Amino acid sequence: MRAKRAKAIRRAQRLKEKPEPIDPAQRKALAFTRTFLLATAIAIIPLSLMPEAWFDPLNRVTAYLAAGVLQLLGLDPIVRGTYIRVPGFTVNVIAECSAIHLIALKTAFIVSFPTTRTQKWIGIGVGTMALLTLNIIRIAVVTVIGWQYPTIFELAHVYLGQLGMLLATIAFCLAWCHWVF
């Protein structure tokens, strides 16, 4: 009899220790987070392992379009492959300059978000065009800064360039979420 009673007490204690069930909103948030992390890994890791030469066509187009922005600013840039040269200063557009990683991050976010396919496709298309456009302007501005103020080029490249583009990506994702809901 004592054994049965002790067993019943242990069972009652185990039942008390069970965590409270997760509410549906928390469950959706956890599912989104898990899917987003997985989608980000699937998108970013292969991009990071690809040889630089695979990005050469995109880098060339990015350099050419950034040179077009520089022409609108009154400069006379020379483009040779992925290099943009203005008098006394040259930049090389590499894969990290092409915004491909940020586009992959933004796409992973949108694909992971619980909404309709139409809204996802619109977000992917508009977001990709917006990030590519901002990136081309960023490269032109950083080139002008490097040409006029070579001592702060690295600072402008890292903070205006990379950090600014990351913030723009986050801002787009938040704006897209606002539009979806």
Side-chain angles (χ1 to χ4, degrees), residues 16-151:
K16 287 181 184 178
E17 294 173 6
K18 281 190 177 178
E20 293 185 26
I22 298 174
D23 71 64
Q26 287 176 325
R27 190 175 307 280
K28 284 183 181 179
L30 288 172
F32 165 75
T33 302
R34 188 176 346 143
T35 307
F36 174 61
L37 291 174
L38 180 63
T40 300
I42 290 170
I44 299 290
I45 292 172
L47 282 175
S48 300
L49 297 174
M50 288 180 185
E52 182 71 29
W54 288 16
F55 296 101
D56 201 48
L58 178 60
N59 296 344
R60 288 172 181 267
V61 168
T62 302
Y64 177 78
L65 293 172
V69 173
L70 291 170
Q71 285 177 336
L72 292 174
L73 297 174
L75 297 172
D76 191 22
I78 299 169
V79 178
R80 297 269 190 270
T82 59
Y83 290 88
I84 305 170
R85 179 165 172 62
V86 292
F89 192 75
T90 303
V91 295
N92 182 19
V93 178
I94 60 172
E96 287 79 15
C97 300
S98 69
I100 193 75
H101 293 89
L102 293 173
I103 291 168
L105 181 67
K106 177 238 355 132
T107 301
F109 180 88
I110 289 173
V111 166
S112 303
F113 202 78
T115 188
T116 67
R117 282 187 182 156
T118 302
Q119 290 172 323
K120 288 180 183 189
W121 280 112
I122 290 170
I124 291 169
V126 171
T128 299
M129 294 309 297
L131 288 177
L132 286 173
T133 302
L134 279 174
N135 188 56
I136 290 163
I137 294 168
R138 172 193 71 90
I139 290 171
V141 168
V142 168
T143 302
V144 170
I145 290 171
W147 171 57
Q148 289 292 319
Y149 309 100
T151 56

